[in-house]
Amino acid sequence: MLKIKNINLKQVESTKYLGVIIYINLNGAEHIDYIYKKIIKFTSIFYKIRDNIPDEVKKMVYFAFIHSNLYYGIEIYANTYNSYLNKLMVLNNKILRILQSAPRYVHDKYLHSKYNILTIPNLHIYNILLFVHKFFHHPYQLPDIFVPYFTINSEYHGYCTRSKGDPHLELFTSSLKQRSLKYKGPRLWCSLPDQLKAISSTQSFKQKLKIYLQKTTKMYDIINLLVVNFF
């Protein structure tokens, strides 16, 4: 039994912290169910209104009620298997089809490109890489605890190699540590093209990173490999 100031803390299966439901095994499933139930109710509403409002308004509605819920806390809840995320991805695609009045044969990639958005797994990758970019180019914007978060290759050796400025790839054997930002962040960052990593402007990096993730399957494959040992 854990005590703080002689007060017994009750062990629970899950708890909500800053709007994110954290389950005891940290697999994100309960929060994914929470988001699913929150946005599925909009499908019938969107069916009814889609023919009565302009396309631009439908896009605004999507970002206000759907994308905002998918995006919040994605660094945490999407840190899991795609099989857990699949129900959200299918629902999101359905909503996009409704709002865009798109037939079934239209590819999901087109639905996302029309609204200039990323898939849920790529949104997860996007946010991780934004953090790593801030670490390298704008560390003063991070809380002090994250300033020494990653170790740079040049701190390990003095060789003038191409990767000397990249974060060192830590080797963690436990599944818990392999789920950490310290493990995933460097691997995703090192897989980016050098010209993208060199961009210091946050706004420019965001724009070019989104384009890169929309065009490549490389980062998607990397994140799939990373989650193999998660559970």
Side-chain angles (χ1 to χ4, degrees):
M1 179 68 71
L2 182 63
K3 288 186 177 182
I4 296 180
K5 293 184 178 180
N6 293 322
I7 299 176
N8 293 331
L9 298 183
K10 181 181 177 182
Q11 182 174 341
V12 294
E13 291 290 312
S14 65
T15 187
K16 183 183 282 189
Y17 181 70
L18 297 177
V20 178
I21 299 175
I22 302 174
Y23 195 63
I24 193 168
N25 63 5
L26 301 176
N27 65 9
E30 190 162 337
H31 188 74
I32 290 169
D33 287 339
Y34 168 74
I35 300 173
Y36 184 89
K37 292 173 183 176
K38 197 172 183 180
I39 66 176
I40 193 173
K41 61 186 179 183
F42 289 105
T43 54
S44 59
I45 298 173
F46 292 162
Y47 267 124
K48 294 175 182 177
I49 68 171
R50 68 177 179 178
D51 296 327
N52 301 312
I53 57 177
D55 289 342
E56 191 58 36
V57 175
K58 285 187 278 189
K59 185 176 179 180
M60 291 170 60
V61 166
Y62 172 80
F63 276 93
F65 296 104
I66 307 302
H67 194 268
S68 59
N69 282 300
L70 294 175
Y71 191 77
Y72 184 77
I74 197 166
E75 306 94 326
I76 300 170
Y77 81 78
N79 188 16
T80 187
Y81 281 131
N82 280 342
S83 57
Y84 284 94
L85 291 173
N86 188 60
K87 64 187 294 182
L88 268 188
M89 292 190 282
V90 170
L91 177 58
N92 185 47
N93 291 340
K94 180 179 180 179
I95 290 172
L96 288 171
R97 287 184 190 280
I98 294 170
L99 290 175
Q100 297 176 20
S101 299
R104 286 183 174 271
Y105 63 79
V106 173
H107 199 279
D108 298 342
K109 190 173 182 179
Y110 172 81
L111 301 174
H112 287 79
S113 65
K114 191 170 181 180
Y115 279 5
N116 192 27
I117 56 175
L118 296 170
T119 62
I120 293 173
N122 272 346
L123 267 179
H124 176 62
I125 295 172
Y126 177 81
N127 273 19
I128 291 176
L129 288 170
L130 288 185
F131 174 84
V132 183
H133 178 268
K134 189 175 288 187
F135 172 86
F136 279 104
H137 294 285
H138 307 285
Y140 56 87
Q141 295 180 2
L142 294 173
D144 292 342
I145 192 172
F146 289 115
V147 173
Y149 198 68
F150 299 120
T151 303
I152 311 304
N153 281 332
S154 59
E155 297 177 24
Y156 273 82
H157 59 75
Y159 304 116
C160 187
T161 61
R162 181 176 151 188
S163 62
K164 68 176 182 179
D166 285 338
H168 182 70
L169 302 181
E170 302 282 354
L171 297 177
F172 296 137
T173 55
S174 75
S175 60
L176 182 61
K177 288 186 177 180
Q178 287 179 355
R179 296 172 64 184
S180 69
L181 178 61
K182 185 168 285 192
Y183 182 84
K184 294 169 68 175
R187 280 158 177 78
L188 291 170
W189 181 262
C190 291
S191 299
L192 289 176
D194 289 340
Q195 61 269 30
L196 190 52
K197 291 186 288 185
I199 298 173
S200 61
S201 166
T202 300
Q203 190 60 33
S204 180
F205 179 76
K206 284 181 176 181
Q207 293 171 352
K208 288 182 169 57
L209 176 61
K210 178 181 279 191
I211 293 170
Y212 178 76
L213 290 175
Q214 287 170 335
K215 290 182 176 180
T216 184
T217 58
K218 182 180 179 182
M219 304 300 285
Y220 186 84
D221 292 338
I222 290 171
I223 204 72
N224 281 337
L225 289 173
L226 288 175
V227 299
V228 167
N229 297 318
F230 277 3
F231 301 98

